[in-house]
Structures are given as C-alpha cells and as structure tokens.
C-alpha cells in the first residue's frame, strides 16, 4: 500500500515513478487523516482512478483542499499566543515585527530571497540571521500544526560569519567618555551624566539602568536591585554592588533628588524604557567617536575577566545565564560579600 505516516501522525499517499533519465521521482499527497483505515480507503480510491489521470488529479486536489490553511495573520497570531509565555515583552514585539514582513504564508524561493536581500541592505549579518531564525521557528511551528507547509527559511542563515562589531572601550575612548560626561554634568544634565556613569560601573543594559527606581538602591548595603518589569531574560533580575566610584561621584545625592525612577527625565515607551536615552546616546557617541552604549558591558566583562574573576561572579554581575549567585534568604550575605570583593576590578582599564 502506498502509505506514509508523517512525524505528526498524518497519513500521506506516496508513489514513486521512474523517469526516463533513470532517476526516481516521488509524489506525496496528504490524506488529511490520522485514521489508518480511512487512509487506506482514500489511497485505494486514488489507485483505482490512477488509470484516468484527470480523475486522479481531481480526487487528490479535493483531498488537499478539504481543510483550507488559515491566513498568515491568523497563523502568526496563533503562534504568538502559543509561545508568548517563553518571551519577554520586548522580544515578543521584535518577533512580531519580523514576522509582519513575511508577504504570504506560502513562499517561493524568490520571495525568501527578496526578503533576505531587503534585510541585508539595512541590518548587520548577525541581525539578519536572527530574523531568519525567528521566521524559521515560526514555520517549524506551522509545520507541526498544519499539513502541506514546508519551512522556506530552513538552512538560510549566513554561515561562517563572526559578528564582532561591539568591542570594549579603549583607554583613550574612556578618557573621552569621562571628559564629555563631566561636561554634561557641568551643564546641569544630571540624568545624562548618571545614565553614562551607572552603565560604566555596573555593566547594566541601557533598559535596566532606565528602569531603576529610588527603592531599587539600598544605600545602607550599597546594592542595586535590578528588577524592572521589562528585563531581557530571567537572569537579568539580580543584585549588583554599588561601585565606590559612583558613591564618590555623589550617586546618593542624585537619588535623593528623584521621586520614582532615576531616569525620570526620559519618558518610557510602551515596550522600552531606554528608547529615548539610547537615541540620545547614539548621537552623542557619533559626535565624540565612541563605541555604542552596550560596549560598556563588554568593557566591564573584559575588566572582570582579565582580573581573574571567576566566571560565575562575572555572570552574576552581568546577568548572564550561567550566573549561580542569587540574593535569597540563605547565604545572601556571603554572595553579596563575594560580589563586593570583585566589583572593585571594574574600572581597571583607566588605571
């Protein structure tokens, strides 16, 4: 019997033909059933009518179309609903944005090629690979839910490319960074100044700095609590000792002048607290030939690593997945003491 059971439990009619060139060609048609008896009956019907090609095509066409695929927008909506518990809100928004660029549910190679070229015109290779990954995961989900759909993005990622556009600040760049930051403070732009300094001496992401509230800084213990409602990953929620340099610069005086968020100067958007400050910093860094804000994290990471700080402590400070230190009720004093003992290595580049 010409039957094939797919990995999703759907029966297919399968027939192999020998071409004049000597090559074999296989035809598969979904029978749209998980019942083997029904699948046999449908396969027999196709075989009986196979002597009449026109009739056979009509029957198989009816089998294929008896369950119409939903629209692209419906599939995307169902996919998001099924998986949104796995993502942070910002990540979900990013995925939705990429999927909205797909022109139709059934894509040709030309469609995919056009989309890929469009991404390459305005995005880095690393970002394009992420876009392809988002689309590939979506189509894998569609494949598991509906028959007759193949993943057109499978294997399309650009291989062999190592993205290294973000680098740590050099000593000269840090000197420029501090000089320009001081000028901001002289102008009375305190929020701008502390947005830079907190990022420099904690390695926090821009969106994490911008979510800090007055109550997230324990001045008696000199601790930052990173616990905003728009964090990148579950490991982003963490504690970071306040660097002595920040205290010396007057961080607590600045905090006493705030009512709620430390960066209340900038309004938060629906899905990000850092949209406005990062836009400002993009212009600021270009004027002074500096790396991007995220490179401050690389600087902190490099300083900790080069100072021989154990990887689990680096991860705990930066909020990486392999961090093993948590601020819980048991042993938290030991954990914080260890972090406080290594945070002093942040800033060694300028010495």
């Amino acid at each position: 019997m010409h039957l094939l059971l797919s990995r999703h439990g759907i029966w297919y009619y399968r027939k192999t033909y020998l071409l004049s060139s000597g090559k074999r060609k296989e035809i598969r048609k979904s029978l749209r059933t998980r019942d083997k008896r029904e699948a046999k009956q449908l396969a027999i019907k196709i075989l009986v009518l196979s002597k009449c090609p026109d009739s056979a095509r009509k029957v198989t066409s009816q089998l294929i179309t008896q369950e119409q695929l939903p629209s692209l927008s419906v599939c995307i909506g169902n996919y998001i609903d099924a998986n949104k518990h796995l993502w942070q809100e910002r990540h979900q928004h990013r995925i939705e944005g990429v999927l909205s660029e797909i022109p139709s549910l059934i894509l040709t190679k030309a469609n995919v090629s056009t989309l890929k070229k469009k991404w390459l015109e305005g995005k880095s290779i690393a970002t394009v690979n992420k876009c392809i990954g988002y689309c590939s995961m979506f189509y894998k989900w569609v494949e598991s839910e509906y028959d007759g759909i193949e993943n057109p993005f499978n294997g399309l990622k650009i291989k062999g490319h190592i993205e290294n556009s973000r680098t740590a600040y050099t000593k000269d760049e840090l000197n420029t960074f501090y000089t320009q930051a001081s000028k901001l403070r002289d102008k009375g732009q305190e929020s701008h100044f502390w947005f830079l300094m907190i990022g420099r001496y904690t390695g926090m992401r821009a969106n994490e700095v911008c979510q800090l509230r007055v109550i997230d800084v324990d001045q008696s213990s000199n601790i930052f609590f990173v616990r905003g409602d728009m964090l990148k990953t579950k490991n982003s929620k963490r504690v970071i000792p306040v660097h002595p340099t920040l205290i010396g610069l007057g961080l607590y005086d600045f905090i006493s002048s705030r009512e709620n968020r430390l960066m209340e100067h900038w309004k938060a958007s629906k899905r990000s607290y850092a949209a406005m400050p990062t836009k400002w910093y993009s212009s600021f860094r270009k004027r002074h030939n500096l790396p991007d804000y995220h490179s401050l994290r690389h600087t902190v990471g490099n300083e900790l690593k080069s100072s021989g700080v154990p990887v689990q402590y680096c991860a705990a400070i930066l909020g990486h997945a392999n961090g093993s230190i948590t601020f819980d009720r048991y042993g938290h004093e030991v954990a914080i003491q260890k972090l406080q003992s290594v945070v002093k290595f942040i800033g060694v580049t300028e010495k």
Side-chain angles (χ1 to χ4, degrees):
M1 183 61 68
H2 302 277
L3 288 177
L4 172 69
L5 183 64
S6 74
R7 60 190 177 91
H8 306 302
I10 302 298
W11 287 100
Y12 279 72
Y13 170 79
R14 177 176 66 177
K15 188 171 180 64
T16 302
Y17 295 91
L18 185 63
L19 302 177
S20 57
S21 62
K23 296 183 178 180
R24 292 180 178 273
K25 180 180 180 181
E26 184 180 89
I27 295 177
R28 294 184 184 183
K29 299 292 183 183
S30 174
L31 298 174
R32 301 289 183 179
T33 182
R34 286 182 166 85
D35 184 87
K36 188 173 183 179
R37 180 176 296 180
E38 182 182 0
K40 284 183 178 181
Q41 293 174 348
L42 292 171
I44 290 171
K45 190 172 183 179
I46 293 175
L47 286 170
V48 169
L49 294 172
S50 62
K51 294 181 180 180
C52 179
D54 291 336
S55 298
R57 280 195 295 269
K58 183 178 179 180
V59 171
T60 54
S61 177
Q62 289 173 348
L63 291 172
I64 296 303
T65 59
Q66 59 182 265
E67 181 186 338
Q68 296 293 331
L69 289 170
S71 66
L72 173 62
S73 60
V74 170
C75 283
I76 292 176
N78 292 341
Y79 171 67
I80 297 297
D81 288 340
N83 295 279
K84 62 184 179 182
H85 66 284
L86 302 172
W87 309 316
Q88 295 290 330
E89 185 177 1
R90 291 177 65 207
H91 189 54
Q92 177 182 327
H93 179 59
R94 190 177 299 118
I95 292 172
E96 289 175 338
V98 172
L99 297 183
S100 68
E101 298 186 59
I102 299 175
S104 61
L105 186 60
I106 308 297
L107 295 176
T108 64
K109 290 183 179 180
N111 294 146
V112 176
S113 178
T114 299
L115 192 57
K116 188 175 179 180
K117 287 180 181 177
K118 175 186 173 183
W119 287 334
L120 284 170
E121 288 175 358
K123 305 178 188 296
S124 68
I125 292 178
T127 302
V128 171
N129 279 340
K130 286 183 180 179
C131 292
I132 292 172
Y134 295 152
C135 293
S136 183
M137 290 302 297
F138 166 66
Y139 273 94
K140 284 182 180 178
W141 178 86
V142 173
E143 281 183 320
S144 69
E145 295 292 320
Y146 308 102
D147 293 309
I149 294 290
E150 293 184 356
N151 181 4
F153 293 90
N154 188 37
L156 283 186
K157 285 188 176 182
I158 302 171
K159 299 179 181 179
H161 176 80
I162 299 176
E163 185 74 14
N164 193 28
S165 60
R166 283 174 172 160
T167 58
Y169 280 64
T170 64
K171 188 173 183 177
D172 288 340
E173 288 170 338
L174 283 173
N175 288 334
T176 301
F177 177 86
Y178 294 131
T179 299
Q180 298 305 322
S182 296
K183 290 181 179 179
L184 293 173
R185 194 177 205 185
D186 293 341
K187 295 176 183 178
Q189 295 178 294
E190 287 287 307
S191 294
H192 299 71
F193 173 79
W194 286 109
F195 175 62
L196 301 184
M197 290 299 106
I198 294 174
R200 168 64 185 104
Y201 288 102
T202 64
M204 289 188 204
R205 301 174 178 91
N207 204 44
E208 294 170 348
V209 175
C210 293
Q211 290 181 78
L212 287 173
R213 299 164 296 171
V214 172
I215 60 173
D216 292 330
V217 186
D218 186 340
Q219 298 186 32
S220 62
S221 300
N222 295 328
I223 293 170
F224 284 113
F225 291 88
V226 183
R227 53 189 177 190
D229 56 358
M230 290 186 188
L231 299 179
K232 186 174 182 180
T233 68
K234 63 180 182 180
N235 300 100
S236 299
K237 187 174 290 188
R238 62 198 188 279
V239 294
I240 304 174
V242 178
H243 197 283
T245 299
L246 294 177
I247 299 174
L249 288 170
L251 173 65
Y252 295 154
D253 291 334
F254 170 70
I255 292 175
S256 65
S257 69
R258 304 289 95 175
E259 294 182 0
N260 185 16
R261 286 195 302 117
L262 303 191
M263 299 296 122
E264 60 191 18
H265 172 81
W266 287 296
K267 293 181 179 180
S269 64
K270 184 177 180 181
R271 293 183 174 86
S272 175
Y273 284 84
M276 292 180 66
T278 50
K279 184 177 181 180
W280 164 78
Y281 188 76
S282 178
S283 175
F284 173 83
R285 78 177 187 86
K286 288 176 182 177
R287 289 198 304 271
H288 304 296
N289 196 29
L290 294 172
D292 63 13
Y293 191 87
H294 199 81
S295 292
L296 292 172
R297 279 175 62 80
H298 289 268
T299 304
V300 171
N302 283 0
E303 289 173 333
L304 294 174
K305 183 179 179 181
S306 63
S307 299
V309 175
V311 65
Q312 64 267 31
Y313 299 153
C314 297
I317 290 173
L318 295 172
H320 288 164
N322 59 341
S324 60
I325 299 175
T326 56
F327 191 78
D328 55 25
R329 61 181 297 185
Y330 299 108
H332 67 273
E333 292 182 357
V334 175
I336 293 304
Q337 286 175 353
K338 288 186 179 297
L339 292 182
Q340 288 173 332
S341 69
V342 301
V343 77
K344 64 184 179 182
F345 293 114
I346 298 174
V348 296
T349 302
E350 59 233 36
K351 294 179 181 179

